[in-house]
């Protein structure tokens, strides 16, 4: 019970920021610097979450097999506690990372990206579990926080080249009824993303050149609800030429609703503070819903 955290710097700092924010939100006294320094707070969280799972983080010498993912992914985080705080975003030697590409999209999203902190990148199943077991689950995050898990090289902004013509499937879930389920829903959403099951065409004989529609997944905590979102590279127009794309996008939504979230196809979900699983292009999101064309899964 005395091990210090093995998380690399930025992941540890983001986790601490999330922890302080969660404690502040619940009006619990924040840990002292000394407690944070010796890793006690981190360790309690790891014990609770990592029970029974051995990864490269718990046994770096005897664990010698890595299961590579189809793509590397980057976790990003923001909350009221990260706003205006200069958490480091430097690469971590234990993880393969590339600098944020300085594309026009990134420059355009500068204001939006200011408070969103890059936590870490990973490209194997083992590194995913190492990260997952060391970060605070959505049910314990403060209000107005977000985790963004995006393919490495794509920033979680409409302005990114990979997102600018896309859209998102999302569902809003009232907090009171879903507090006990949201962590599993987020875990299954992340697993479907990194396992590439949302849009499997490119990995099933797509010849390696086909590109998945999925750019990232997000969980958001708001005062009265959670939101889970799946971002896609493209969004269908209304014209017939888009029939194939529309059906591929609808496949993503159905998989999300039925296989990931566990609802039946015919189940209607909208209600007070709750929405259906629905798709909106980012262009329509920017217009804040004015004349928006939603697709319902
Ligand atoms: P949000 O956080 O996605 O929606 O966007 P929410 O949860 O309904 O609103 P909140 O106020 O409770 O957080 C909120 C606002 O952030 C949007 O209306 C935009 O002004 C801005 N915004 C959101 N996104 C995803 C982007 C983005 O990708 N780029 C830019 N420039 N602004 C964004």
């Amino acid at each position: 019970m005395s091990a210090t955290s093995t998380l690399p710097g930025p992941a540890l700092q983001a986790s601490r920021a999330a922890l302080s924010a969660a404690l502040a939100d619940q009006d619990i006294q924040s840990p002292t610097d000394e407690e944070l320094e010796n890793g006690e707070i981190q360790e309690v969280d790891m014990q609770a979450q990592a029970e029974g799972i051995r990864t490269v983080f718990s046994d770096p010498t005897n664990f010698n097999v890595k299961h590579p993912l189809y793509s590397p992914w980057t976790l990003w985080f923001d909350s009221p506690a990260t706003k205006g705080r200069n958490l480091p975003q430097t690469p971590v030697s234990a993880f393969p990372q590339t600098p944020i590409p300085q594309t026009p999209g990134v420059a355009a999203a500068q204001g939006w990206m200011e408070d969103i902190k890059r936590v870490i990148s990973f490209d194997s199943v083992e590194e995913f579990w190492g990260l997952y077991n060391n970060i605070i689950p959505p049910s314990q995050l403060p209000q107005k926080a977000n985790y963004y898990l995006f393919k490495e090289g794509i920033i979680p902004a409409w302005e990114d080249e990979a997102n600018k013509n896309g859209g998102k499937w999302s569902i809003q879930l009232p907090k009171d009824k879903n507090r006990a389920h949201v962590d599993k829903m987020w875990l299954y959403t992340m697993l479907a993303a990194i396992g590439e099951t949302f849009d499997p065409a490119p990995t099933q004989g797509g010849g390696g050149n086909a590109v998945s529609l999925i750019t990232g997944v997000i969980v958001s905590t708001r005062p009265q609800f959670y939101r889970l979102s799946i971002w896609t590279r493209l969004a269908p127009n209304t014209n017939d030429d888009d029939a194939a794309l529309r059906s591929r996008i609808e496949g993503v939504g159905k998989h999300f609703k039925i296989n990931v979230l566990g609802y039946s196809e015919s189940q209607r979900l909208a209600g007070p503070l709750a929405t259906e699983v629905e798709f909106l292009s980012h262009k329509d999101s920017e217009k804040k819903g004015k004349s928006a064309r939603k697709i319902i899964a």
Side-chain angles (χ1 to χ4, degrees), residues 108-109 112 146 156-159 168 220 222 225 227 231 285 288:
W112 164 247
N146 304 278
W158 302 324
E159 291 85 348
K168 66 170 190 281
S220 309
R222 295 293 179 268
F225 57 82
R227 187 187 307 120
W231 280 30
S285 293
K288 297 196 194 280

Side-chain angles (χ1 to χ4, degrees), residues 78 83 105 108-113 116 144-146 148 155-160 163 168 172 218 220-223 225 227 229 231 282 285-288:
D78 72 355
K83 291 204 191 315
Q110 210 125 49
W112 164 247
M113 290 301 293
I116 302 181
K144 301 190 183 170
N146 304 278
Y148 311 82
I155 61 166
W158 302 324
E159 291 85 348
D160 192 286
N163 294 321
K168 66 170 190 281
Q172 193 172 295
I218 304 175
S220 309
T221 62
R222 295 293 179 268
F225 57 82
R227 187 187 307 120
S229 309
W231 280 30
H282 293 320
S285 293
E286 282 179 65
K287 286 191 270 169
K288 297 196 194 280

